[in-house]
Amino acid sequence: MPSQPRERLWFVLPGILIIVLVLLIPILAALGLSFFSYPLQRPDLGIQFIGLDNFKRLLADTTFMNSLWRSVQFTVGAVAAEIIVGTMLALLLKGHVWGKSFFKVAFMVPMMMVPVVVGVAWRLFLLPEFTPLGPIFKFLHIPFDTSKLLTDPGWAMFSVILADVWQWSPFVMIMVLANLQGIPDDVYEAAQMDGASRWKTFWSMTLPLVAPALLSVAVLRAMDAVRTFDLVYILTSGGPGTATELVSVYNYKIAFSRYDMGYASAVSTAVMILLAVVIFGALYMLSRGGKKQ
């Protein structure tokens, strides 16, 4: 029996090595590089230690602050919409719906697509030359120029959020649906006997029971949404202007357009620290909610 812990360690060791090689080493490398000046276009200058200069430059960089604010707008808008849409789909599939199994699979298709494919598909869908929205708006007598969806700053951010919601709402649906199926039918039968309406049943019973799952989903989706790059880059490339230039797109431009690897590492480190603070705060709230229950 004493050899069992060692045997278990051998099973866990490959996973630990993968985490160290793929996750820990790049993070430490980026953290270390953030204290250096490393201009790839000037190899004659070499790598020079500059201490906290990159972070001082970061605090004075209004472009970074604006891109960070746009990332917050995108994350809050996308995650909030995904929770609402995903919860509605889960409630719909919880009931007696014809073709429930088919719709479960159909709704999950966008989630299984590569973000680059989603970006290309939505770009084609929103281009004025290909979009079916123009004839639909014309039929409904809605005066709207569909070219604004990718060229107007406000509508461009809306289009990016819409594409992300389309792809990731099924993830919320799966998580919420799993929790809904764990709620006993006796709870709803008792509510009906007490004369509670559907809205009151949802607000007073269903929502509190699935709230921990919704908070978990919100944390997971926020972690992913704040790092969104490929969808935005394919769909708008950060434009028009800088209207959809999220911090990930801005960091990409610093690293691979300006080739300022030291400053790009500082941006990555700052975003990672900010994200860690928010996530740990959300997890603390989640753990406190679990203890109260």
Side-chain angles (χ1 to χ4, degrees), residues 30-36 50-61 64-65 262-263 265-271 273:
L31 179 61
L33 193 58
S34 63
F35 297 102
F36 290 84
I50 57 174
L52 297 175
D53 285 358
N54 280 328
F55 294 97
K56 293 177 183 177
R57 176 183 168 190
L58 191 68
L59 294 174
D61 189 351
F64 166 74
M65 295 299 179
Y263 188 53
S265 298
V267 172
S268 299
T269 302
V271 172
I273 293 172

Side-chain angles (χ1 to χ4, degrees), residues 5-283:
R6 292 184 180 180
E7 292 177 357
R8 293 173 184 172
L9 180 61
W10 284 110
F11 286 108
V12 178
L13 189 59
I16 296 175
L17 290 175
I18 291 174
I19 291 174
V20 170
L21 292 173
V22 177
L23 187 65
L24 189 58
I25 291 178
I27 289 176
L28 293 176
L31 179 61
L33 193 58
S34 63
F35 297 102
F36 290 84
S37 173
Y38 185 23
L40 287 181
Q41 287 184 321
R42 294 291 306 274
D44 55 303
L45 297 177
I47 303 176
Q48 298 177 355
F49 179 77
I50 57 174
L52 297 175
D53 285 358
N54 280 328
F55 294 97
K56 293 177 183 177
R57 176 183 168 190
L58 191 68
L59 294 174
D61 189 351
T62 56
T63 306
F64 166 74
M65 295 299 179
N66 290 333
S67 66
L68 186 62
W69 173 240
R70 282 188 289 270
S71 292
V72 172
Q73 290 178 312
F74 170 79
T75 301
V76 172
V79 173
E82 286 159 13
I83 288 176
I84 294 171
V85 174
T87 303
M88 292 174 62
L89 292 175
L91 291 170
L92 180 65
L93 295 176
K94 176 67 167 61
H96 300 286
V97 180
W98 178 85
K100 182 188 296 187
S101 299
F102 168 77
F103 286 114
K104 282 183 181 179
V105 176
F107 287 149
M108 286 192 293
V109 170
M111 188 179 67
M112 295 183 287
M113 297 174 66
V114 181
V116 172
V117 176
V118 175
V120 172
W122 272 88
R123 182 169 179 81
L124 290 173
F125 178 75
L126 295 175
L127 284 174
E129 298 85 358
F130 301 103
T131 182
L133 297 177
I136 293 174
F137 287 146
K138 187 176 181 181
F139 177 77
L140 296 175
H141 300 287
I142 299 176
F144 181 76
D145 183 7
T146 55
S147 63
K148 291 182 178 180
L149 292 172
L150 293 176
T151 58
D152 181 84
W155 283 106
M157 178 62 79
F158 172 79
S159 300
V160 171
I161 292 175
L162 184 63
D164 193 77
V165 170
W166 178 80
Q167 183 177 18
W168 290 110
S169 291
F171 173 73
V172 181
M173 179 197 74
I174 294 170
M175 300 292 287
V176 175
L177 185 59
N179 279 264
L180 288 175
Q181 290 174 340
I183 301 175
D185 293 334
D186 299 343
V187 176
Y188 294 107
E189 292 175 0
Q192 288 180 351
M193 292 177 64
D194 291 338
S197 63
R198 289 187 176 182
W199 171 250
K200 189 174 182 180
T201 301
F202 169 76
W203 189 256
S204 303
M205 298 174 61
T206 305
L207 187 58
L209 290 172
V210 300
L214 290 177
L215 184 55
S216 300
V217 168
V219 172
L220 292 172
R221 282 299 307 129
M223 289 170 57
D224 193 51
V226 78
R227 298 182 295 108
T228 299
F229 168 76
D230 34 17
L231 175 65
V232 178
Y233 192 77
I234 294 296
L235 197 56
T236 63
S237 298
T242 58
T244 59
E245 187 180 77
L246 308 185
V247 69
S248 56
V249 178
Y250 177 59
N251 200 22
Y252 170 83
K253 291 179 179 179
I254 293 172
F256 300 106
S257 293
R258 305 179 194 173
Y259 298 101
D260 192 350
M261 306 308 291
Y263 188 53
S265 298
V267 172
S268 299
T269 302
V271 172
M272 180 180 63
I273 293 172
L274 290 173
L275 187 59
V277 171
V278 174
I279 290 170
F280 281 122
L283 291 175

